[in-house]
Amino acid sequence: MATQNGAAQNTVSDWLASAHPTPEAAHREWNAAGIALIPTGRVFDAVRLPAAIVHRVVGSALPELVRARLGNGAVIHDAYEPGRWYYALVRPGTCAQHDAYRLDGGTWLGIPEAGRTTRPGAYWIRPPRHREDFYPEDGITELIRRSGEGPTRPRTLPELDTIEQSCRALFDDNGPDPSPQHAAAATTQARNHLTTLLPVTQEAATQLPLDHTTQARLARALAEAYRQLEADSSSLNLARQHAHAKRLARCCLDQVRVLRELEGCGWPGGLGAP
């Protein structure tokens, strides 16, 4: 099975590299950095979708849920700017009716190596399974159509006071020593709080200008949140599991702080506005 998977990846890699004027150069870039700059327009075109569209349609900003709900076809998530863009590979010459989203032919796009399915950096949220595994044109049309249904951001903020109080309680050194059950419950609770906050902070990352004073801190907060969510705490001993719960809680507090700052400056039009 491993040999078959490796052969399939090699086939996909050769197909992607064939779009490069010098395919060997694409393979060298993948070997060196995991990303290769490859031009669109010949072997594949690409449609660039703002994360706000994708997350609104699939109902989540969490990578595992986006991956499960996007459907078939190759899609890249550019995580250098957390949550900002998704790139769907489409058959050359299609999606002409979506020129506002389609990259011009000859645009050099960062293409992850075939097996790169996690951060950091650009990765395949939906990796190509075979040659010409294009995202369907009607799927692009449906995504864009459905993006116009409903608000452009969550209508209400989570209960920030409740989340903050719960997370700060984990740092109370005057409480009893944590039991295994308490550490497990604290980890689950902190994870739940973080997954509640993420869609809102992710939405902020897609809408704030790149030069906004909060953008850099927001990007760092999102990157750390995903790093902690992806950490496996199932095999940690009691002390380490409790420490992991505290790291998750700290991520929550960082995001609560940023959301309150944005709400105070009226981002955008007032968080929680109907």
Side-chain angles (χ1 to χ4, degrees):
M1 181 63 69
T3 302
Q4 291 178 351
N5 289 340
Q9 284 189 6
N10 288 338
T11 299
V12 169
S13 296
D14 289 342
W15 170 63
L16 293 170
S18 69
H20 197 288
T22 309
E24 295 80 6
H27 285 287
R28 286 196 297 270
E29 290 181 38
W30 282 323
N31 289 334
I35 303 288
L37 288 176
I38 298 177
T40 63
R42 199 180 94 191
V43 172
F44 52 79
D45 279 348
V47 175
R48 183 175 69 174
L49 296 166
I53 285 180
V54 175
H55 296 165
R56 190 180 314 135
V57 172
V58 304
S60 177
L62 295 178
E64 56 269 26
L65 292 181
V66 174
R67 180 177 296 112
R69 297 171 182 173
L70 262 182
N72 293 327
V75 181
I76 297 167
H77 180 204
D78 184 357
Y80 283 114
E81 295 292 344
R84 185 163 292 276
W85 301 112
Y86 289 86
Y87 296 88
L89 299 193
V90 297
R91 192 175 299 279
T94 61
C95 295
Q97 71 273 35
H98 302 308
D99 279 346
Y101 299 95
R102 191 176 59 160
L103 298 184
D104 293 335
T107 299
W108 290 77
L109 178 63
I111 302 292
E113 60 183 336
R116 187 184 179 101
T117 57
T118 59
R119 292 173 174 82
Y123 66 100
W124 294 103
I125 190 79
R126 295 286 304 179
R129 300 158 297 173
H130 50 75
R131 298 169 71 93
E132 300 189 355
D133 188 13
F134 297 119
Y135 201 83
E137 184 174 4
D138 58 356
I140 297 293
T141 300
E142 182 68 4
L143 275 172
I144 294 172
R145 183 190 69 79
R146 290 181 58 196
S147 72
E149 300 173 355
T152 59
R153 62 182 185 278
R155 285 183 176 270
T156 57
L157 277 172
E159 292 290 338
L160 298 184
D161 289 342
T162 301
I163 292 174
E164 182 177 24
Q165 183 178 4
S166 172
C167 291
R168 288 196 182 283
L170 283 175
F171 298 93
D172 182 6
D173 294 330
N174 296 321
D177 293 336
S179 65
Q181 294 79 8
H182 178 270
T187 301
T188 299
Q189 185 178 57
R191 287 180 66 89
N192 289 342
H193 287 326
L194 197 51
T195 55
T196 298
L197 290 165
L198 273 171
V200 184
T201 49
Q202 193 91 42
E203 195 75 26
T206 66
Q207 294 188 18
L208 289 176
L210 285 176
D211 60 353
H212 192 281
T213 56
T214 309
Q215 181 65 260
R217 286 197 294 113
L218 186 57
R220 288 194 296 271
L222 284 167
E224 178 61 15
Y226 279 118
R227 191 172 76 86
Q228 294 302 332
L229 281 174
E230 291 166 2
D232 180 11
S233 62
S234 59
S235 62
L236 299 182
N237 62 30
L238 175 59
R240 290 183 177 180
Q241 187 173 52
H242 194 62
H244 181 58
K246 285 185 174 182
R247 288 193 292 272
L248 289 167
R250 191 171 291 110
C251 289
C252 293
L253 294 173
D254 288 343
Q255 294 192 39
V256 166
R257 192 176 302 113
V258 172
L259 288 174
R260 283 192 168 136
E261 180 180 325
L262 292 174
E263 186 182 26
C265 66
W267 172 83
L271 280 166

